[in-house]
Amino acid sequence: MSAQAYEQHALRELRAWQQEMLRPPSLVSKLATRVQHKLNSYIPEKVHNAITTTIKQMIRGVLFGAKLTTKKPEKHGALFMKEALVQERIAFYKRAAAAEGGITGAGGILLGFADFPLLLSLKLKMLYEITALYGYSVEDYRERLFLLHVFQLAFSSQEQRRRVYLQMVNWEEQKKHLPEDIHQFDWRTFQQEYRDYIDIPKMAQLIPIIGAPVGAVVNYKLLQKLGNTAMNAYRMRWQEEQKTMKQP
C-alpha cells in the first residue's frame, strides 16, 4: 500500500471513530450511568476524596517516571511509517498486560489488588511511547493533559466520552486555554469514570479458578481499546495539521 493510499485508509477509520465518539448515549447507557451515579452517591465523600487523591498521585508518579524512560519524539516520517511502529508497540503492551493480568488473576484477591497500579502503569507507558512515535514531546505538560484526555476517551461512559472528545477537537487552539497547573485537572470525574468503566470486568478477575484467563483477556482488550483510541486521537491532530499546512 502506498503512503497516500494508507493515509486515505487511516482517514476513513478516523471518520468512523469520530462518528462513534459523537454518538449520543443509548437508553441502556443512560440507565447504566444513572445506576452507577446512584451507587456512587452511597459512598461517603471522604472515600471518594481518598480514591481521587490516590489515583491522582499514582498517575502523577507514573507520568513522571515514564517521562524519564521514554525516547525522544520522532519528528519525521510518513504516517504509515509512524503507525507501523505504533502498532508494534501496542501489540507489545497488549501481550505484557495479558501476562500481568493472568499472573495477578491466578493469585486471587490479594494479587488482584496489585493489578490496578501495574495495569495503570502499562497503559500510561504505552501512551507515552505512542506520543513520541507521533512526534510529540511529553516534556510539555499540555501533551500529558492530552494523554489524560485520550485515557478518558477510552474508559468513560458515552456521555462523558462525547464531552471529552469535543474538548480535543482543534487541540492546537484548545491547549492555549488549558490551566497552567495539572492539579486543576478534573481528577474526581477522571477516577470515577475510569473506576465505573472497569469495575465489572475486573471484579471477575478476583474469582478463583477463572481469575487468570479472565485477567489476561480483560487486560488485553483494555490495552487494545486504549491503543486504538490513541491512534485515532493522534490521527485527528495529524489531519488538523495537514489542513493548516495547506492554508495560504
Side-chain angles (χ1 to χ4, degrees):
M1 185 183 294
S2 67
Q4 186 174 10
Y6 181 86
E7 289 176 5
Q8 293 302 314
H9 165 74
L11 289 174
R12 285 194 296 271
E13 289 192 343
L14 172 61
R15 284 192 292 271
W17 176 80
Q18 289 174 311
Q19 290 174 0
E20 176 64 20
M21 292 299 103
L22 289 171
R23 178 174 57 83
S26 65
L27 178 60
V28 173
S29 177
K30 288 180 179 179
L31 289 174
T33 300
R34 287 175 188 169
V35 170
Q36 196 68 57
H37 286 170
K38 189 66 176 177
L39 291 174
N40 284 329
S41 71
Y42 295 134
I43 300 174
E45 187 64 24
K46 63 181 181 181
V47 174
H48 279 300
N49 290 336
I51 295 173
T52 298
T53 300
T54 299
I55 291 181
K56 174 182 175 181
Q57 296 305 325
M58 190 183 300
I59 290 177
R60 282 171 57 83
V62 172
L63 288 177
F64 177 77
K67 185 174 70 171
L68 297 179
T69 58
T70 299
K71 65 180 183 178
K72 298 298 180 183
E74 300 284 347
K75 291 296 185 182
H76 305 289
L79 183 65
F80 80 93
M81 295 173 62
K82 292 178 184 291
E83 295 203 338
L85 295 172
V86 168
Q87 292 277 19
E88 180 184 311
R89 299 315 294 159
I90 292 174
F92 168 81
Y93 279 101
K94 285 194 298 186
R95 292 192 298 270
E100 182 270 315
I103 293 170
T104 54
I109 293 177
L110 291 179
L111 277 182
F113 288 132
D115 173 68
F116 185 86
L118 291 172
L119 182 61
L120 189 60
S121 179
L122 285 173
K123 288 173 180 174
L124 293 173
K125 187 66 171 67
M126 182 182 76
L127 286 179
Y128 263 62
E129 292 204 28
I130 290 174
T131 300
L133 289 170
Y134 276 104
Y136 300 99
S137 173
V138 292
E139 295 291 335
D140 185 343
Y141 96 100
R142 293 172 299 182
E143 291 300 332
R144 281 172 269 163
L145 278 179
F146 185 79
L147 291 188
L148 293 180
H149 281 67
V150 171
F151 199 94
Q152 284 186 292
L153 278 185
F155 308 123
S156 293
S157 63
Q158 184 62 36
E159 188 176 354
Q160 175 66 7
R161 189 179 300 147
R162 192 171 187 272
R163 283 196 292 267
V164 173
Y165 170 79
L166 292 173
Q167 294 170 6
M168 298 171 70
V169 175
N170 192 17
W171 180 257
E172 291 304 310
E173 181 61 31
Q174 296 266 28
K175 72 181 186 181
K176 296 176 184 177
H177 309 290
L178 290 172
E180 292 298 324
D181 189 349
I182 200 169
H183 285 287
Q184 297 178 47
F185 183 74
D186 187 358
W187 292 101
R188 170 67 172 266
T189 300
F190 179 94
Q191 66 87 9
Q192 201 159 290
E193 289 282 340
Y194 179 55
R195 196 183 71 218
D196 292 350
Y197 186 92
I198 68 171
D199 262 353
I200 295 176
K202 297 305 282 182
M203 282 296 180
Q205 187 176 333
L206 304 180
I207 301 174
I209 302 176
I210 69 168
V214 167
V217 171
V218 168
N219 283 11
Y220 185 92
K221 289 186 176 296
L222 289 173
L223 268 291
Q224 185 174 53
K225 182 174 181 61
L226 181 59
N228 180 67
T229 301
M231 284 185 65
N232 281 296
Y234 281 111
R235 283 171 174 174
M236 185 165 65
R237 290 181 69 175
W238 174 83
Q239 182 187 41
E240 291 169 352
E241 289 167 3
Q242 293 299 303
K243 289 179 180 178
T244 301
M245 290 170 59
K246 291 178 181 179
Q247 291 177 355

